[in-house]
Amino acid sequence: MEKAYNHVNWKIIEIIGRKMGFGWRWVKWMKNCYEDTRFSLIVNGAATNFFKGSRGLCQGDPLSQFLFLMVAEVFSALMKKAERNGLISGFKVKSNETPITHLQFADDTIVFLDANLAQFTALKQILIELQQITD
């Protein structure tokens, strides 16, 4: 997930934000944070000229974790959709309880599937779809 996040097309962040119910003003503010960012490096004690980055935010930027969670939410939505459509089953702690198909913490993801080729193929398709959506 971490490597996938580093290659996210920024336009998808706008779409995700709007679908998650954020107002246009908030989405515009967020867009300004990652589109108008300029970087400078210190080389041998002297600062270089500012340059525009092509991907990502400054290391340690507080917005970075939030944007990462927005992308992770797309993965969660795809997993839930696959479970509703019967493509994956996950597991249930008790019978008649909500199925758990995946757990996410920071940039780690654990996926729970039955040991069969059909569910593995469904997961592979979910990951391909995630790449297509965010690329």
Side-chain angles (χ1 to χ4, degrees), residues 5-93:
Y5 171 73
N6 289 334
H7 295 88
V8 167
N9 180 338
W10 287 114
K11 290 187 185 289
I12 195 65
I13 296 295
E14 293 176 57
I15 295 167
I16 295 169
R18 296 298 292 155
K19 285 194 177 214
M20 292 179 81
F22 292 103
W24 67 268
R25 193 174 294 187
W26 190 91
V27 171
K28 185 178 177 183
W29 169 80
M30 188 173 55
K31 183 179 176 181
N32 287 338
C33 287
Y34 59 75
E35 277 192 348
D36 295 336
T37 304
R38 304 280 188 257
F39 300 92
S40 176
L41 301 174
I42 297 178
V43 179
N44 295 329
T48 64
N49 291 332
F50 282 90
F51 60 92
K52 185 172 173 41
S54 61
R55 297 228 185 224
L57 298 169
C58 292
Q59 187 174 1
D61 190 311
L63 187 60
S64 182
Q65 294 88 354
F66 182 70
L67 298 179
F68 176 83
L69 289 175
M70 291 176 73
V71 173
E73 188 61 29
V74 174
F75 175 73
S76 288
L78 292 172
M79 291 292 287
K80 289 175 187 174
K81 178 181 168 187
E83 191 275 326
R84 279 192 313 272
N85 292 336
L87 300 173
I88 59 175
S89 60
F91 76 94
K92 296 178 182 176
V93 177

